Amino acid sequence: QVQLVQSGAEVKKPGASMKVSCKASGYPFTSYHMHWVRQAPGQGLEWMGIINPGGGRPTYARKFQGRITLTRDTSTSTMYMELSSLRSDDTAVYYCARDTNFNYPDYWGQGTRVTVSS
Amino acid sequence: DIQMTQSPSSLSASVGDRVTITCRASQNIRIYLNWYQQKPGKAPELLIFAASNLHRGVPSRFSGSGSGTEFTLTISSLQPEDFAVYYCQQSYNTPPFTFGPGTKVVVK
């Protein structure tokens, strides 16, 4: 069965960087793109970007351009989302979510809570 | 970028009620509209894709309709497990694949 297992919660200082991992299993890793979505406390879902694990340049939401980097390691079937220059409003739960090949996700990771606080 | 809006932002309903949520896109997205349900502390779950197609395992009391810029999610007879937040998401053409702001369904 498809599983996306994300790394654990993190606490970061303002100005630092964060890197969340998402280990995929149960399907051909390079056959499905991966979305990254975040949710601030009490807020809605915010689409951040998408990566093709088979190669090619990721696409990022305009809001995160210059601060976000999506990468993948095909040897371990793991996706990574790195966000730099963290601010308090980056405090959120970050999700990876597997694309269906039709630009919407079907399977989601359990979420990684990141708190940015001095 | 395509902007998504939802109405209402919150609604109160009772078990057995028929519930309708509306989602609007800022431009024509044809049928590339999906619906998700999210319960507290959980990841979202896909309910409906391509405007009107039920994802596997989703109860038939959920249905979706619409095309172009206006879409609806209907729950024909609300069940206790349906109290949650519902999001629409557009998947038209190229990124960003934006979500609507959500509609919270609470107990009346």
Side-chain angles (χ1 to χ4, degrees), chain B residues 52-94:
Chain B
S52 61
N53 296 275
L54 218 57
H55 186 55
R56 62 184 173 277
V58 174
S60 58
R61 63 181 179 273
F62 291 92
S63 63
S65 64
S67 65
T69 61
E70 188 159 328
F71 303 85
T72 58
L73 171 70
T74 299
I75 310 171
S76 61
S77 177
L78 197 67
Q79 297 302 299
E81 60 269 30
D82 300 336
F83 292 100
V85 181
Y86 294 85
Y87 294 94
C88 60
Q89 182 241 356
Q90 64 84 14
S91 51
Y92 179 69
N93 204 7
T94 56

Coordinates of all heavy atoms in Angstrom, one line a residue, chain B residues 52-94:
Chain B
S52 N -16.7 15.8 -10.5 CA -17.9 15.0 -10.1 C -17.6 13.5 -9.9 O -18.5 12.7 -9.8 CB -19.0 15.1 -11.3 OG -18.4 14.6 -12.5
N53 N -16.3 13.1 -9.9 CA -16.0 11.7 -9.8 C -15.6 11.4 -8.3 O -14.7 11.9 -7.7 CB -14.8 11.4 -10.7 CG -15.1 11.6 -12.1 OD1 -15.7 10.7 -12.8 ND2 -14.9 12.8 -12.7
L54 N -16.3 10.4 -7.8 CA -16.1 10.0 -6.4 C -14.8 9.2 -6.3 O -14.6 8.2 -7.1 CB -17.3 9.1 -6.0 CG -17.8 9.3 -4.6 CD1 -18.2 10.7 -4.3 CD2 -19.0 8.3 -4.3
H55 N -13.9 9.6 -5.4 CA -12.7 8.8 -5.1 C -13.1 7.4 -4.5 O -14.1 7.4 -3.8 CB -11.8 9.6 -4.2 CG -10.5 8.9 -3.9 ND1 -9.6 8.6 -5.0 CD2 -9.9 8.6 -2.8 CE1 -8.5 8.1 -4.4 NE2 -8.6 8.1 -3.1
R56 N -12.3 6.4 -4.7 CA -12.6 5.1 -4.3 C -12.8 5.1 -2.7 O -12.0 5.7 -2.0 CB -11.6 4.1 -4.7 CG -10.2 4.3 -4.1 CD -9.2 3.3 -4.7 NE -7.8 3.7 -4.3 CZ -7.1 4.6 -4.9 NH1 -7.5 5.2 -6.0 NH2 -5.9 4.8 -4.5
G57 N -13.8 4.4 -2.3 CA -14.1 4.3 -0.9 C -14.9 5.4 -0.3 O -15.3 5.3 0.9
V58 N -15.2 6.5 -1.1 CA -15.9 7.6 -0.5 C -17.4 7.3 -0.6 O -17.9 6.8 -1.7 CB -15.6 8.9 -1.3 CG1 -16.5 10.0 -0.9 CG2 -14.1 9.2 -1.1
P59 N -18.2 7.5 0.5 CA -19.6 7.2 0.4 C -20.4 7.9 -0.6 O -20.1 9.1 -0.9 CB -20.1 7.6 1.9 CG -18.9 7.6 2.7 CD -17.7 8.0 1.8
S60 N -21.4 7.3 -1.1 CA -22.2 7.9 -2.2 C -23.0 9.1 -1.8 O -23.6 9.7 -2.7 CB -23.1 6.8 -2.9 OG -23.9 6.3 -1.9
R61 N -23.1 9.4 -0.5 CA -23.8 10.6 -0.1 C -23.1 11.9 -0.5 O -23.7 12.9 -0.5 CB -24.1 10.6 1.4 CG -22.9 10.6 2.3 CD -23.3 10.6 3.8 NE -22.1 10.6 4.6 CZ -21.4 9.5 5.0 NH1 -21.8 8.3 4.6 NH2 -20.4 9.6 5.8
F62 N -21.8 11.7 -0.9 CA -21.0 12.8 -1.4 C -21.2 12.9 -2.9 O -21.1 11.9 -3.6 CB -19.6 12.7 -1.0 CG -19.2 12.9 0.4 CD1 -19.2 11.7 1.3 CD2 -19.0 14.1 1.0 CE1 -18.9 11.9 2.6 CE2 -18.7 14.3 2.3 CZ -18.7 13.1 3.1
S63 N -21.4 14.1 -3.4 CA -21.4 14.3 -4.9 C -20.9 15.7 -5.2 O -20.9 16.6 -4.4 CB -22.8 14.1 -5.4 OG -23.7 15.1 -4.9
G64 N -20.4 15.8 -6.4 CA -19.9 17.0 -6.9 C -20.5 17.4 -8.3 O -20.8 16.4 -9.0
S65 N -20.5 18.6 -8.5 CA -21.0 19.1 -9.9 C -20.4 20.4 -10.2 O -19.7 21.0 -9.4 CB -22.5 19.2 -9.9 OG -23.0 20.2 -9.0
G66 N -20.6 20.8 -11.5 CA -20.1 22.1 -11.9 C -19.1 22.0 -13.0 O -18.5 20.9 -13.3
S67 N -18.8 23.1 -13.6 CA -17.7 23.2 -14.6 C -17.5 24.7 -14.9 O -18.3 25.5 -14.5 CB -18.1 22.5 -15.9 OG -19.2 23.2 -16.5
G68 N -16.4 25.0 -15.5 CA -16.1 26.4 -15.7 C -15.5 27.1 -14.5 O -14.4 26.9 -14.1
T69 N -16.4 27.9 -13.9 CA -15.9 28.7 -12.7 C -16.7 28.4 -11.5 O -16.4 28.9 -10.4 CB -16.0 30.2 -13.0 OG1 -17.3 30.6 -13.3 CG2 -15.1 30.6 -14.2
E70 N -17.8 27.7 -11.5 CA -18.6 27.4 -10.4 C -18.9 25.9 -10.1 O -19.3 25.2 -11.0 CB -19.9 28.2 -10.5 CG -20.8 28.1 -9.2 CD -21.8 29.2 -9.1 OE1 -21.6 30.3 -9.6 OE2 -22.9 29.0 -8.5
F71 N -18.6 25.5 -8.9 CA -18.7 24.1 -8.5 C -19.4 23.9 -7.2 O -19.4 24.8 -6.4 CB -17.3 23.5 -8.4 CG -16.5 23.7 -9.7 CD1 -15.8 24.8 -10.0 CD2 -16.4 22.6 -10.6 CE1 -15.1 25.0 -11.1 CE2 -15.7 22.8 -11.8 CZ -15.0 24.0 -12.1
T72 N -20.0 22.8 -7.0 CA -20.7 22.5 -5.7 C -20.3 21.1 -5.2 O -20.1 20.2 -6.0 CB -22.2 22.6 -5.8 OG1 -22.7 21.7 -6.8 CG2 -22.6 24.0 -6.1
L73 N -20.2 21.0 -3.9 CA -20.1 19.7 -3.2 C -21.3 19.6 -2.4 O -21.7 20.5 -1.7 CB -18.9 19.7 -2.3 CG -18.7 18.5 -1.3 CD1 -18.4 17.3 -2.1 CD2 -17.7 18.8 -0.3
T74 N -22.0 18.4 -2.5 CA -23.2 18.2 -1.8 C -23.1 16.9 -1.0 O -22.5 15.9 -1.5 CB -24.4 18.0 -2.8 OG1 -24.6 19.2 -3.5 CG2 -25.7 17.7 -2.0
I75 N -23.5 17.0 0.2 CA -23.6 15.9 1.1 C -25.1 15.6 1.3 O -25.8 16.5 1.8 CB -23.0 16.1 2.5 CG1 -21.5 16.6 2.3 CG2 -23.0 14.8 3.3 CD1 -20.8 17.0 3.6
S76 N -25.6 14.5 0.8 CA -27.1 14.3 0.7 C -27.8 14.2 2.0 O -28.9 14.6 2.3 CB -27.4 13.2 -0.2 OG -26.9 12.0 0.3
S77 N -27.1 13.5 3.0 CA -27.6 13.3 4.3 C -26.5 13.2 5.3 O -25.8 12.2 5.4 CB -28.4 11.9 4.3 OG -28.9 11.7 5.6
L78 N -26.2 14.3 5.9 CA -25.0 14.5 6.8 C -25.0 13.5 7.9 O -26.0 13.2 8.6 CB -25.1 15.9 7.4 CG -23.8 16.5 7.9 CD1 -22.8 16.7 6.8 CD2 -24.1 17.8 8.7
Q79 N -23.8 12.9 8.0 CA -23.6 11.9 9.0 C -22.6 12.4 10.1 O -21.9 13.4 9.8 CB -23.0 10.6 8.4 CG -23.9 9.9 7.4 CD -25.2 9.5 8.1 OE1 -25.3 8.7 9.0 NE2 -26.3 10.1 7.5
P80 N -22.6 11.8 11.3 CA -21.8 12.4 12.4 C -20.3 12.5 12.0 O -19.6 13.5 12.4 CB -21.9 11.4 13.5 CG -23.3 10.8 13.2 CD -23.4 10.7 11.7
E81 N -19.8 11.6 11.1 CA -18.4 11.6 10.8 C -18.1 12.7 9.7 O -16.9 12.8 9.3 CB -17.9 10.2 10.3 CG -18.7 9.7 9.1 CD -19.9 8.8 9.5 OE1 -20.5 9.1 10.5 OE2 -20.2 7.9 8.7
D82 N -19.1 13.4 9.2 CA -18.9 14.3 8.1 C -18.6 15.7 8.6 O -18.3 16.6 7.9 CB -20.1 14.4 7.2 CG -20.5 13.1 6.6 OD1 -19.5 12.2 6.4 OD2 -21.6 12.9 6.2
F83 N -18.7 15.9 10.0 CA -18.3 17.3 10.5 C -16.8 17.4 10.4 O -16.1 16.7 11.0 CB -18.8 17.4 11.9 CG -20.3 17.4 12.0 CD1 -21.0 16.3 12.4 CD2 -21.0 18.6 11.7 CE1 -22.4 16.3 12.4 CE2 -22.4 18.6 11.8 CZ -23.1 17.4 12.1
A84 N -16.4 18.4 9.5 CA -15.0 18.5 9.1 C -14.9 19.8 8.3 O -15.9 20.6 8.2 CB -14.6 17.3 8.3
V85 N -13.7 20.1 7.8 CA -13.5 21.2 6.9 C -13.3 20.6 5.5 O -12.6 19.6 5.3 CB -12.2 22.0 7.3 CG1 -12.0 23.2 6.4 CG2 -12.3 22.5 8.8
Y86 N -13.9 21.3 4.6 CA -13.9 20.9 3.2 C -13.2 21.9 2.3 O -13.4 23.1 2.5 CB -15.3 20.6 2.7 CG -16.0 19.5 3.4 CD1 -16.6 19.7 4.6 CD2 -15.9 18.2 2.8 CE1 -17.2 18.6 5.3 CE2 -16.5 17.1 3.5 CZ -17.1 17.3 4.7 OH -17.6 16.3 5.4
Y87 N -12.2 21.5 1.5 CA -11.5 22.3 0.6 C -11.7 21.9 -0.8 O -11.6 20.7 -1.1 CB -10.0 22.2 1.0 CG -9.6 22.7 2.3 CD1 -9.5 21.8 3.4 CD2 -9.3 24.0 2.5 CE1 -9.1 22.2 4.6 CE2 -8.9 24.5 3.8 CZ -8.8 23.6 4.8 OH -8.4 24.0 6.1
C88 N -11.8 22.9 -1.7 CA -11.7 22.7 -3.1 C -10.2 23.0 -3.5 O -9.5 23.7 -2.9 CB -12.7 23.5 -3.9 SG -12.6 25.3 -3.8
Q89 N -9.8 22.4 -4.6 CA -8.5 22.6 -5.2 C -8.6 22.5 -6.7 O -9.2 21.6 -7.3 CB -7.5 21.5 -4.7 CG -6.1 21.7 -5.2 CD -5.6 20.5 -6.0 OE1 -6.3 19.5 -6.2 NE2 -4.4 20.6 -6.6
Q90 N -8.0 23.5 -7.4 CA -8.0 23.5 -8.8 C -6.7 22.8 -9.4 O -5.6 23.0 -8.8 CB -8.2 24.9 -9.4 CG -7.1 25.9 -9.2 CD -5.9 25.8 -10.1 OE1 -6.0 25.1 -11.2 NE2 -4.8 26.4 -9.8
S91 N -6.9 22.0 -10.4 CA -5.8 21.3 -11.0 C -5.7 21.5 -12.5 O -5.3 20.7 -13.3 CB -5.9 19.8 -10.7 OG -7.2 19.3 -11.1
Y92 N -6.0 22.8 -12.8 CA -6.0 23.1 -14.3 C -4.7 23.5 -14.8 O -4.0 24.3 -14.3 CB -7.0 24.3 -14.5 CG -7.1 24.7 -15.9 CD1 -7.8 24.0 -16.8 CD2 -6.7 26.0 -16.3 CE1 -7.9 24.4 -18.2 CE2 -6.8 26.4 -17.6 CZ -7.4 25.6 -18.5 OH -7.5 26.0 -19.8
N93 N -4.3 22.8 -15.8 CA -3.1 23.2 -16.7 C -1.8 23.2 -15.9 O -1.2 22.2 -15.8 CB -3.4 24.6 -17.3 CG -2.6 24.8 -18.6 OD1 -2.0 23.8 -19.0 ND2 -2.7 26.0 -19.2
T94 N -1.4 24.4 -15.4 CA 0.0 24.5 -14.9 C -0.1 25.0 -13.4 O -1.1 25.6 -13.0 CB 0.8 25.5 -15.7 OG1 0.2 26.7 -15.8 CG2 1.1 24.9 -17.1

